[in-house]
Amino acid sequence: MDLFESVRQNSNDRPLAERLRPTAFDDMVGQPKLLSGQAHWRKQLTAATGSRLPSFILFGPPGCGKTTLARIISATPGVFTETCPAIETGAKILKEVCDRARTRQAIERKRTLIFVDEIHRLNRAQQDVLLASIESGDVSLVGATTENPSHALNPALISRCQVLAFEPLTEEDLTELARRGFSAMGTSVDQWLNEEALTRLFSISDGDARKLLNSIEWLCHSEPSGAPEAPLSSKDVEERLGAMVLRFDRAGDAHYDTISALIKSIRGSDPDAAIYYLARLVRAGEDVAFLARRLMILASEDISNADPRALQVAVSCFEAVTRVGWPEASIIFSQTVTYLACAPKSNSTYVALNAALAVVDKTGSLPIPLALRSSKTSMSKSLGFGKGYKYSHDGARGFVDQNFMPEALVGTKFLELSDRGFEKTLQQYQDWARSKPVKPTS
């Protein structure tokens, strides 16, 4: 560290969140499963030296302590740290870092720790550059990411690292951070915020410690006298800080996790949970066409013939929302989501299709019975195509008992209708059509 770097790190011009960043395990807030005094992982890491320092992927939401922990790990004895922010790093830079690490290991017998923030932003080829150096022990990798590693990282890289999942900070954690933040600004929480205002500050911060502390710094600078005459209200806090912006990335985990929660809530017939997740998607500005497509798929997969109108509702929703867009599309989505959540559920057609696909994959193109083949040409008729076919409408109930399956699959059943909604009616018709007609009594 040079003189200018030392001056910069000790300067009060840095953001409050950076000035209060912990430098030891005991100062960190949250993550008790990983960082408490009794946590097995912390004991293991505290005892580690450079030669025994494993590689880690730190996975969790923004502002929960991943970068802070990486910096504490970098202070491990016998370790030289190279920081490589993913947005500034390419394969060439990573290769140069690994080459220096190899030389350092050979000459100084010192392990190099490579810290890659936002590691999910490295492409597959860039990630692969690290594999050989991790394998040989020249480097230990600490990667921080807000995205699910199983989606964003190469399996080969994950297999060489321990994945540590960070939990969102609790209200108790945020309360302690707020106390530290206001104290560092020479004041206290009680001087600035009433209980509702503190809760609103937490919601605006959305569980992000960095955002919370920087919001506290902004609040304190917003009052020329140093403190308000009376504690701020919830409305005052929102006026000074602005409304909450939800974590959402249309290509990231927050996007897919929220969509998944919506679909599962509708499938589980919980309209209240479905409306909640819809509201989050509305606030985040989800793509209307994408959301409407997912609802059409759900209507067929999870409701199906238990309520055939569900697909009609979903298709109408798609047509409507793609015409009107946000914000009015939210009204149409609300009607559709609540209808789908309250409708009877059945996945019988989805299960039947998957079962049939499995049979097709296993048996290939089995011969279609001659009676079912097209007999439009004289040659087809001469080959016996269509011979023996019985016209269903000639039956007393519009049904004639005959085999439609390939010979190898005679008797195979794919569809098992439920006794829910309209499927119960469909099953009753199937049973009625196949039963023997009862002769009227004279």
Side-chain angles (χ1 to χ4, degrees), residues 3-80:
L3 175 61
F4 297 106
E5 179 67 11
S6 176
V7 170
R8 190 189 69 80
Q9 289 200 5
N10 291 300
S11 171
N12 285 330
D13 292 336
R14 292 180 302 145
L16 179 63
E18 192 62 26
R19 299 202 304 271
L20 293 184
R21 188 185 293 276
T23 58
F25 285 121
D26 289 335
D27 296 329
M28 290 191 68
V29 174
Q31 315 309 326
K33 293 180 181 178
L34 297 176
L35 304 176
S36 71
Q38 301 303 314
H40 177 74
W41 181 86
R42 174 177 166 177
K43 292 178 181 178
Q44 202 173 17
L45 186 61
T46 303
T49 59
S51 61
R52 291 191 293 136
L53 185 65
S55 293
F56 299 98
I57 301 296
L58 310 178
F59 161 51
C64 64
K66 302 185 298 298
T67 301
T68 297
L69 179 60
R71 293 190 181 184
I72 293 173
I73 293 174
S74 70
T76 300
V79 165
F80 181 89

Side-chain angles (χ1 to χ4, degrees), residues 247-383:
R247 291 193 301 270
F248 198 79
D249 178 354
R250 288 184 184 176
D253 282 350
H255 163 79
Y256 292 109
D257 288 348
T258 311
I259 287 288
S260 176
L262 172 66
I263 297 301
K264 289 173 180 173
S265 298
I266 296 173
R267 181 184 296 139
S269 298
D270 188 334
D272 297 301
I275 279 289
Y276 167 73
Y277 291 114
L278 172 64
R280 287 180 55 167
L281 292 167
V282 170
R283 281 286 180 255
E286 175 59 84
D287 177 57
V288 293
F290 173 82
L291 179 53
R293 285 195 298 270
R294 291 301 301 265
L295 294 177
M296 287 192 292
I297 295 168
L298 176 140
S300 189
E301 177 182 344
D302 293 304
I303 298 175
S304 187
N305 289 324
D307 183 354
R309 293 169 298 182
L311 183 56
Q312 297 172 12
V313 169
V315 170
S316 296
C317 172
F318 179 87
E319 293 179 353
V321 298
T322 52
R323 290 181 181 182
V324 304
W326 298 123
E328 289 82 359
S330 60
I331 305 169
I332 300 164
F333 275 125
S334 179
Q335 177 186 353
T336 304
V337 162
T338 51
Y339 183 93
L340 298 180
C342 294
K345 305 297 188 295
S346 173
N347 68 343
S348 60
T349 57
Y350 180 67
V351 171
L353 174 62
N354 286 335
L357 288 171
V359 169
V360 169
D361 292 340
K362 181 179 180 180
T363 61
S365 302
L366 294 173
I368 296 174
L370 290 176
L372 301 184
R373 299 189 193 185
S374 174
S375 57
K376 294 295 184 182
T377 67
S378 56
M379 179 178 288
S380 298
K381 290 179 181 178
S382 68
L383 293 174

Side-chain angles (χ1 to χ4, degrees), residues 13 16 104 155 159 177 212 219 294 302 310 346 354 406 414 420:
D13 292 336
L16 179 63
R104 192 175 295 115
S159 71
L177 288 169
L212 172 67
L219 277 178
R294 291 301 301 265
D302 293 304
S346 173
N354 286 335
F414 295 116
R420 298 184 293 277

Side-chain angles (χ1 to χ4, degrees), residues 375-405:
S375 57
K376 294 295 184 182
T377 67
S378 56
M379 179 178 288
S380 298
K381 290 179 181 178
S382 68
L383 293 174
F385 289 9
K387 186 177 182 180
Y389 171 66
K390 301 172 184 177
Y391 190 53
S392 296
H393 294 288
D394 291 339
R397 297 182 175 180
F399 171 80
V400 176
D401 190 18
Q402 56 189 315
N403 174 59
F404 293 95
M405 281 285 197

Side-chain angles (χ1 to χ4, degrees), residues 206-226:
D206 203 18
D208 185 330
R210 184 187 303 105
K211 189 173 181 180
L212 172 67
L213 292 172
N214 290 337
S215 294
I216 289 172
E217 184 176 28
W218 178 265
L219 277 178
C220 292
H221 286 157
S222 71
E223 192 66 43
S225 62

Side-chain angles (χ1 to χ4, degrees), residues 29-32 167-177 202 207:
V29 174
Q31 315 309 326
E167 299 293 332
L169 297 178
T170 66
E171 186 170 318
E172 183 180 350
D173 298 331
L174 295 173
T175 301
E176 170 59 20
L177 288 169
F202 291 163

